Amino acid sequence: MTLAAGASGRNPCVAVLGGSFDPVHQGHVALAQLFASLLRPDALRILPAGQPWQKNGLEASDADRVAMLELAFASLRSTSLPVTIDLQEIERRTPTYTVETLRALRAELGPRTSIVFLMGADQLRKLDSWNEWRELFALANLGVATRPGYDLAQEALPPVVAQELSTRLATPDTVRLLAHGKVCLAPTLDVDLSSSQLRAALQSGADASALGMAQVLDYIQQHNLYKN
């Protein structure tokens, strides 16, 4: 389904946030909120992974991860930004490759839509390990948010990744208008969390209130998730 152009006649823009979300935490939501303010996208797609090829087995079930995402992103849904939990990677039932997902999104959304795949700077540093990683730029733009401890001006990127970035950096407004091929670097997020940190706190019985969102933590407790 191709999105209609906006009232101004500009091409539509869809921000895409993928991940294992095992479990979802404030950092994921903060990343989406950051690029929602920078790009003013017409829609946000949340893509929970089915079988991520670079990670071991997921601890929570597909249904639980999706339910936690619904709770976590309810606040963004209350704004004017349409938020969709896209289940295509879960339904694929094969190892998950981002390039395949972006091909499916491009076929669905049409050639003119600006697709912006969101990630943290830590993911950018290992981008060259992704399957067909150069093909990503032919399918989408990248929105990269630095995290505390990651300064892209100083951090050593793989030379091949740095070379790709050198000709692709663009402002949010430019990325908003172009269908693919550009990279938007965003200011540092003030949330430095990982799902593994949250899982470790939950498994040890430590207070996880500073790491997870209250509604998600309530769900985890009610469904007895992430216990040893």
Side-chain angles (χ1 to χ4, degrees):
M1 177 178 64
T2 302
L3 292 177
S8 65
R10 57 174 169 74
N11 292 336
C13 176
V14 176
V16 178
L17 179 61
S20 299
F21 304 114
D22 190 28
V24 62
H25 54 70
Q26 290 110 318
H28 296 127
V29 177
L31 177 59
Q33 289 174 324
L34 174 61
F35 279 99
S37 65
L38 289 174
L39 297 172
R40 306 177 308 282
D42 298 287
L44 171 66
R45 292 281 188 101
I46 309 298
L47 279 150
Q51 297 180 36
W53 70 279
Q54 286 190 327
K55 294 188 178 181
N56 295 325
L58 302 172
E59 294 196 26
S61 70
D62 295 341
D64 283 329
R65 289 186 298 125
V66 170
M68 289 186 282
L69 284 170
E70 294 281 1
L71 292 169
F73 283 92
S75 60
L76 270 180
R77 274 205 171 114
S78 67
T79 68
S80 58
L81 177 64
V83 180
T84 301
I85 310 298
D86 188 327
L87 303 181
Q88 64 171 284
E89 292 193 352
I90 289 176
E91 293 169 348
R92 193 175 295 152
R93 299 299 178 189
T94 58
T96 298
Y97 297 109
T98 298
V99 68
E100 295 174 355
T101 298
L102 291 178
R103 284 179 182 134
L105 286 174
R106 178 57 67 195
E108 174 193 348
L109 299 172
R112 297 178 59 194
T113 298
S114 172
I115 298 176
V116 188
F117 188 81
L118 309 182
M119 65 172 64
D122 53 335
Q123 294 171 292
L124 187 67
R125 293 179 64 190
K126 56 186 178 182
L127 187 65
D128 59 332
S129 71
W130 292 24
N131 191 49
E132 297 183 67
W133 68 276
R134 284 190 174 89
E135 181 67 13
L136 300 177
F137 298 106
L139 297 165
N141 301 297
L142 299 185
V144 183
T146 59
R147 295 169 57 186
Y150 291 95
D151 184 346
L152 289 181
Q154 300 175 11
E155 290 286 338
L157 293 173
V160 289
V161 174
Q163 183 177 7
E164 284 289 343
L165 283 185
S166 66
T167 60
R168 296 185 184 278
L169 295 180
T171 66
D173 286 341
T174 298
V175 170
R176 177 72 181 76
L177 294 174
L178 297 179
H180 60 85
K182 296 298 182 181
V183 178
C184 174
L185 300 184
T188 301
L189 283 175
D190 58 1
V191 180
D192 185 22
L193 294 176
S194 70
S195 294
S196 59
Q197 285 178 291
L198 181 51
R199 286 196 306 272
L202 292 167
Q203 289 165 354
S204 68
D207 181 7
S209 59
L211 302 175
M213 290 165 286
Q215 64 272 36
V216 173
L217 293 176
D218 287 345
Y219 183 96
I220 289 171
Q221 182 176 22
Q222 291 167 13
H223 292 80
N224 203 33
L225 303 179
Y226 305 111
K227 303 293 185 183
N228 287 326

